[in-house]
Amino acid sequence: MSKRILIIEDDQAIAEIERDYLKLSQFEVALAHDGAEGLSMALTGNFDLILLDVMLPTIDGFEICKQLRKTLDIPILMVTAKQEDIDKIRGLGLGADDYIEKPFSPSILVARVKANLAQYDRLKQGQQADTLAEIQVGHLQIQPGSHRVFVRNQEINLKNKEYELLLFLVRNGDLVFDKETLYERIWGLDAIGDVATVPVHINRLREKIEDDPSNPQYIETVWGAGYRFKL
């Protein structure tokens, strides 16, 4: 069955280019041209991935992402013409899985869509097949089968990529991984994304699991080399 993609984009010409290239790759595609319409379609349309523009009429992409993350865990790829890192950080913080900046090559967009879908499918398959007992490290508990994480017996809310990153680091404890390797392993992309995404997610993980994020007990920065989870 073809994957279903929702494009929420107010520039009709851009939306149609995105749609046509995705259709050539055998995706089913629906279009929404303003924020309110897009939010309604996303919540009711049973889509597999959402391409979400940041600047939209009625409701902007940040608010849509925030609302969608209350009920949906499908990949959200934000599309933005802005260059400021703060917009990327804000989008990722609200639950976006990835982002792409305009102008972009349609073939790169299709590659990013495919990579995010493939990574999401691998995660879901891993959850269904994973029979390992919960992981306990200090005051941190991870339940791989149920996708739940607890800090001192209090459940914390992790976004998809935050959870994947944490689980990967824990399962490879004391090994050092550079940003490029983590990006490829977690986002499933090779040289077509922005590795600046990795430290953003590392910082958000520290804020959620560390007693003192500025002096982390678990996720350490190894200067000049990368990051490791200290067991």
Side-chain angles (χ1 to χ4, degrees):
M1 182 181 296
S2 298
K3 297 287 189 180
R4 302 188 71 235
I5 310 296
L6 172 62
I7 298 173
I8 308 176
E9 167 64 68
D10 63 325
D11 187 316
Q12 187 168 346
I14 292 176
E16 290 177 352
I17 291 173
E18 293 172 347
R19 178 197 62 195
D20 292 347
Y21 271 82
L22 288 167
K23 281 189 171 182
L24 286 173
S25 295
Q26 309 305 311
F27 292 110
E28 294 182 21
V29 184
L31 301 181
H33 295 302
D34 69 66
E37 178 190 20
L39 178 59
S40 176
M41 290 177 65
L43 291 172
T44 60
N46 194 29
F47 293 99
D48 296 291
L49 181 143
I50 296 172
L51 277 174
L52 176 59
D53 191 35
V54 169
M55 303 301 293
L56 292 166
T58 66
I59 306 175
D60 68 27
F62 295 126
E63 181 62 25
I64 291 173
C65 185
K66 179 181 177 181
Q67 294 299 321
L68 293 180
R69 276 295 174 243
K70 294 179 179 179
T71 55
L72 298 180
D73 70 347
I74 62 173
I76 297 175
L77 175 56
M78 299 198 79
V79 182
T80 176
K82 294 186 175 182
Q83 303 294 318
E84 292 87 349
D85 287 341
I86 189 65
D87 290 308
K88 302 173 186 176
I89 294 170
R90 183 181 178 191
L92 294 169
L94 291 171
D97 294 280
D98 200 3
Y99 58 84
I100 185 168
E101 294 179 353
K102 300 176 184 175
F104 52 80
S105 162
S107 61
I108 292 295
L109 177 67
V110 172
R112 299 276 281 275
V113 167
K114 288 181 176 179
N116 274 279
L117 284 169
Q119 187 69 7
Y120 179 77
D121 287 342
R122 285 194 293 271
L123 172 64
K124 287 301 181 184
Q125 292 167 5
Q127 290 174 15
Q128 294 170 2
D130 200 341
T131 58
L132 293 177
E134 72 175 36
I135 301 168
Q136 177 82 45
V137 183
H139 60 247
L140 184 67
Q141 297 174 335
I142 304 173
Q143 297 179 356
S146 62
H147 201 293
R148 302 175 74 187
V149 178
F150 299 82
V151 175
R152 291 193 171 88
N153 298 319
Q154 296 294 316
E155 186 170 6
I156 61 173
N157 179 33
L158 296 185
K159 311 302 184 185
N160 285 333
K161 290 297 189 291
E162 293 171 357
Y163 173 81
E164 293 176 52
L165 180 58
L166 176 62
L167 189 61
F168 177 81
L169 288 171
V170 171
R171 285 179 167 167
N172 294 277
D174 290 329
L175 297 178
V176 178
F177 296 94
D178 60 27
K179 290 186 294 186
E180 291 76 14
T181 300
L182 289 172
Y183 193 77
E184 183 177 351
R185 295 290 185 90
I186 305 305
W187 280 260
L189 308 170
D190 184 10
I192 59 172
D194 187 344
V195 296
T197 299
V198 174
V200 171
H201 281 74
I202 291 288
N203 288 337
R204 291 190 62 81
L205 271 177
R206 285 172 172 163
E207 291 172 0
K208 294 179 179 182
I209 71 171
E210 301 278 5
D211 290 333
D212 181 3
S214 63
N215 185 28
Q217 173 184 352
Y218 295 117
I219 303 177
E220 296 183 325
T221 298
V222 181
W223 297 108
Y227 304 96
R228 70 179 171 197
F229 191 94
K230 186 177 180 181
L231 296 178

